[in-house]
Amino acid sequence: MIASGGTEENRQTAGAPRVDLGRSPRVVLRRITSHDQDEFLERVRAGVGLNLPATPAAFQAFLGRFDEGRSAEGLLICLRDTGAIAGNVNINSIIRGRFQNGSLGYASFAPHAGRGYMSEGLGLVLRHAFDELRLHRLEAQIRPENQASIKLVKRHGFRYEGYSPDLLFIDGAWRGHDRWALTNDMHGIVPDAPHPTLPDR
């Protein structure tokens, strides 16, 4: 899921004011908006092997999937000093009730890949998912050959849960993926009160 390519760019994205969901020394986490379309598409086109929208119509359809964490959350990792988009993280397939689970998808964008921004940003995503969204568990399905992605989730304490053949349809075929997962108690962020959809027993 982590790919790179393209040329250096250092600019503040124009558009309406954005609300930070978290900050670290170098990056800011915020929701993706329609104002991000041009820069997002530029990043995707500069990358290699990214399974993300590459046209305005595809971007708008992509944006329509997100509903601020009710069933999916679309997030951007941006540089604090310039506002430039360094990476994308989605919390997909959020299921409440007894599961309280979401599935992560992410990509690091050139020219900022390989500098630790995704790791810094993923830490903010985990805090947002476990503290604000009050999820109990996050999953990441990763192709076995994607060692950069595996190193990223291992760095944040995800545990390996096995291999699923033909799990996701990628690049025209069903592909097997390793399954990694992290729970809020493993990460040390357990909210004071569970999400209201969690049953009493």
Side-chain angles (χ1 to χ4, degrees), residues 1 3 40 44 48-54 62 65 88 90 106-107 143 169-172 177:
M1 292 192 213
F40 186 91
V44 171
V48 177
L50 297 177
N51 292 296
L52 290 168
F62 176 72
R65 295 174 36 209
N88 162 246
N90 303 322
Y106 50 86
R143 295 283 294 137
F169 192 74
I170 306 288
D171 293 331
H177 286 67

Side-chain angles (χ1 to χ4, degrees), residues 6-177:
T7 60
E8 180 65 42
E9 179 183 352
N10 191 25
R11 61 180 167 82
Q12 177 78 35
T13 304
R18 280 92 177 222
V19 177
D20 294 351
L21 299 176
R23 284 178 170 256
S24 68
R26 298 188 300 161
V27 302
V28 172
L29 181 70
R30 63 173 178 81
R31 290 186 177 97
I32 191 170
T33 74
S34 59
H35 298 288
D36 297 308
Q37 176 177 293
D38 291 347
E39 185 181 1
F40 186 91
L41 294 179
E42 184 179 303
R43 298 284 187 229
V44 171
R45 290 171 186 148
V48 177
L50 297 177
N51 292 296
L52 290 168
T55 67
F59 179 84
Q60 291 303 317
F62 176 72
L63 201 63
R65 295 174 36 209
F66 305 122
D67 53 14
E68 297 190 1
R70 290 183 293 278
S71 63
E73 181 90 282
L75 304 167
L76 294 176
I77 296 167
C78 302
L79 304 187
R80 281 189 68 163
D81 57 352
T82 65
I85 298 172
N88 162 246
V89 181
N90 303 322
I91 306 174
N92 301 307
S93 306
I94 295 174
I95 301 174
R96 294 297 187 175
R98 297 186 187 280
F99 202 17
Q100 302 295 329
N101 183 80
S103 181
L104 287 180
Y106 50 86
S108 180
F109 293 147
H112 309 296
R115 301 183 188 180
Y117 297 127
M118 279 302 293
S119 184
E120 210 167 304
L122 183 57
L124 298 176
V125 171
L126 298 178
R127 176 162 293 282
H128 175 66
F130 292 142
D131 197 19
E132 300 299 323
L133 300 182
R134 290 186 278 178
L135 291 171
H136 170 66
R137 173 184 162 92
L138 287 172
E139 299 176 349
Q141 292 81 32
I142 304 172
R143 295 283 294 137
E145 65 271 17
N146 191 342
Q147 289 301 306
S149 219
I150 289 171
K151 287 177 183 176
L152 176 63
V153 296
K154 287 175 72 173
R155 191 177 303 126
H156 286 276
F158 282 67
R159 68 183 169 216
Y160 177 70
E161 295 192 336
Y163 176 79
S164 292
D166 302 333
L167 181 67
L168 296 173
F169 192 74
I170 306 288
D171 293 331
W174 290 99
R175 314 279 182 180
H177 286 67

